[in-house]
Amino acid sequence: MDNTSSTHNKVREYYGQLARTSQSCCELQNKLYPIETIKALPTEIVNFTAGSGNPLRLAQLQTGETVLDLGSGGGLDCFLAAQQVGENGFVFGVDMTPEMLARARESAQNLRFKNVEFREGFLEALPIDDNSIDIVISNCVINLSPDKSKVIQEIARVLKPGGRMIVSDIVTNSQLPEEGRKIDDDWCGCASGAMTVKEYIERLEKAGLMNITIQPDLESAPLVNEPDAEQVSEGETTERRLQILKDWGQCERIIYLPHMISAHKPG
């Protein structure tokens, strides 16, 4: 890209500050990943993430595949993916924030990962070759882009024929009024830029992707501080959680929830 928007600058400064202070923007992030998948990684990597879910849970990565992580941050999902694809596979992480890239590259060096590379770039202009990626993953980053249509077009461009995308992202039940989309803190906090399911599907279809699914992420849905949260406990059934999510979706006020979004590029 020839220049950056004010949104890019605000987001880059916000997440650069997180990297400089070694803070995660979200609480309880280590609960998003099964302990057996993260126990081999250092605590400072596991606990430093800004994700909304665990896209690798549904990605079903295969040995030898090439993976691209959009907005790779401190590198957690890249390192987990690298373990799954093995030495014959490869993982690219793309991020626009220098501080995040520095952390991720240092961690890769310390952990001696040979099949991971972090590249600086924008999601709207990925520094990745056409038709070169088996699977695109992302964790609560697409909502931060000021041009989501371009991001999804780029996903379609870099995927191999038959390739797939599995991303975790924040989705809203109702489009935020235009004035609300201009609030920098809300945008950086994954609220102002969130799309509705309808908007997501329209952009994916326009980019030529197919087999689209967009589902609330029941494993990651932040029930704390939401309406009816006190009615939910660890022991309650998935059916009950689904009913609560349905109730929220019909709520008149705007609500944001993590979703899993998947699609394929025609073969």
Side-chain angles (χ1 to χ4, degrees):
M1 295 177 64
D2 294 330
N3 50 59
T4 60
S5 69
S6 60
T7 300
H8 284 112
N9 290 331
K10 290 290 186 181
V11 170
R12 184 159 50 189
E13 174 56 31
Y14 179 87
Y15 286 93
Q17 178 65 19
L18 291 181
R20 290 190 293 271
T21 58
S22 300
Q23 295 178 346
S24 174
C25 75
C26 305
E27 296 180 358
L28 304 177
Q29 288 297 328
N30 57 345
K31 293 188 177 181
L32 297 177
Y33 302 85
I35 187 64
E36 62 269 17
T37 67
I38 59 176
K39 63 182 180 181
L41 295 176
T43 302
E44 62 268 21
I45 294 176
V46 172
N47 289 340
F48 181 74
T49 178
S52 60
N54 175 13
L56 296 175
R57 178 165 48 85
L58 301 179
Q60 297 183 328
L61 297 181
Q62 303 298 312
T63 300
E65 286 192 313
T66 301
V67 181
L68 170 62
D69 183 12
L70 305 184
S72 47
L76 174 58
D77 287 327
C78 288
F79 300 136
L80 294 174
Q83 292 174 336
Q84 294 180 32
V85 300
E87 60 182 15
N88 293 324
F90 203 86
V91 180
F92 294 99
V94 172
D95 204 285
M96 69 175 181
T97 305
E99 294 90 343
M100 288 290 188
L101 289 164
R103 284 185 66 114
R105 288 166 176 162
E106 180 180 7
S107 294
Q109 183 175 11
N110 292 339
L111 293 170
R112 299 183 180 180
F113 274 98
K114 303 297 185 182
N115 60 341
V116 179
E117 179 184 336
F118 294 98
R119 296 182 177 181
E120 184 171 358
F122 295 95
L123 305 193
E124 301 87 356
L126 293 169
I128 300 292
D129 292 339
D130 296 357
N131 305 309
S132 61
I133 302 296
D134 292 299
I135 179 168
V136 171
I137 63 172
S138 187
N139 203 340
C140 198
V141 179
I142 294 176
N143 69 82
L144 298 173
S145 170
D147 190 347
K148 297 168 183 62
S149 293
K150 184 60 177 174
V151 174
I152 293 172
Q153 289 168 9
E154 282 290 276
I155 292 174
R157 176 183 68 80
V158 303
L159 280 175
K160 296 176 181 178
R164 63 204 189 277
M165 61 170 277
I166 304 286
V167 306
S168 174
D169 205 10
I170 298 298
V171 175
T172 180
N173 65 330
S174 181
Q175 189 177 56
L176 194 68
E178 185 60 32
E179 58 271 20
R181 291 178 178 256
K182 298 177 182 178
I183 301 174
D184 293 331
D185 288 345
D186 284 351
W187 194 287
C188 293
C190 308
S192 295
M195 291 187 285
T196 63
V197 170
K198 180 175 183 292
E199 289 174 315
Y200 236 118
I201 291 174
E202 289 175 348
R203 285 163 172 76
L204 291 167
E205 290 180 339
K206 188 174 182 179
L209 299 176
M210 56 186 291
N211 300 331
I212 299 166
T213 63
I214 302 178
Q215 295 292 335
D217 184 2
L218 297 181
E219 297 290 332
S220 307
L223 298 179
V224 177
N225 297 325
E226 293 290 355
D228 296 325
E230 67 278 2
Q231 300 179 33
V232 182
S233 67
E234 291 294 332
E236 290 200 281
T237 65
T238 297
E239 287 77 14
R240 172 58 183 149
R241 291 169 65 90
L242 278 169
Q243 183 59 50
I244 291 172
L245 291 174
K246 180 180 178 181
D247 293 343
W248 290 350
Q250 296 172 347
C251 185
E252 292 183 1
R253 73 183 185 89
I254 299 174
I255 296 173
Y256 307 91
L257 289 174
H259 281 59
M260 285 293 179
I261 298 100
S262 66
H264 284 75
K265 183 174 179 176

